[in-house]
Amino acid sequence: MDQLDYRTGTGRTAEAGAKTVNLALQGGGSHGAFTWGVLDRLLEEKGLAFEGITRTSAGAVNAVVLADGLAAGDRQGAREALRVYWRKVSALSSQRLMPPTPLNKAIDFPLVHPLGFVFMTTLRRHTR
């Protein structure tokens, strides 16, 4: 597995007394969002130096956004890049392909199974 070298987040080698860590970022959409919070907190710690990151799936997205932010603007740049990315993901995920209809809302069947979703699921089951 390849690794990315992040050093301190400023392009310099770790300062004396800094603790060097390697990160393994896992995949999974919700894990990726959770990892954003963890990375944000780690980036606040000036006594940490990042040496390498291994990643998969959503972890790879976080790693790329982190590396880009570090390259563009040190730790604060990385925190901002991660925040912007995950806010955009959140905004896009709120735009549904099949939003709830007024009937869904009226019968208290709103977001879990909109009628369009139920229709498509039923259709898929009968076409197998």
Side-chain angles (χ1 to χ4, degrees):
M1 200 178 298
D2 60 331
Q3 290 187 336
L4 300 175
D5 185 10
Y6 296 103
R7 304 279 183 223
T8 61
T10 62
R12 296 178 297 199
T13 58
E15 295 178 24
K19 180 176 176 94
T20 301
V21 296
N22 292 292
L23 303 173
L25 306 181
Q26 71 184 45
S30 59
H31 291 127
F34 173 80
T35 301
W36 160 41
V38 174
L39 290 171
D40 189 66
R41 179 64 182 96
L42 290 175
L43 287 164
E44 289 179 334
E45 290 294 322
K46 300 294 185 210
L48 285 180
F50 305 103
E51 184 175 67
I53 296 181
T54 59
R55 69 270 182 235
T56 184
S57 193
V61 172
N62 275 325
V64 168
V65 175
L66 173 67
D68 184 60
L70 287 172
D74 65 31
R75 290 172 181 265
Q76 198 55 40
R79 292 181 72 205
E80 180 63 15
L82 286 162
R83 185 191 69 75
V84 167
Y85 174 79
W86 284 103
R87 294 287 173 127
K88 286 182 179 180
V89 168
S90 176
L92 286 172
S93 67
S94 67
Q95 299 173 4
R96 296 170 171 252
L97 177 62
M98 294 180 251
T101 66
L103 178 60
N104 292 133
K105 293 175 185 175
I107 60 174
D108 197 28
F109 196 58
L111 300 177
V112 179
H113 298 291
L115 292 178
F117 174 81
V118 172
F119 171 75
M120 294 300 285
T121 302
T122 304
L123 182 64
R124 188 187 69 189
R125 285 184 191 144
H126 292 330
T127 58
R128 288 184 181 179

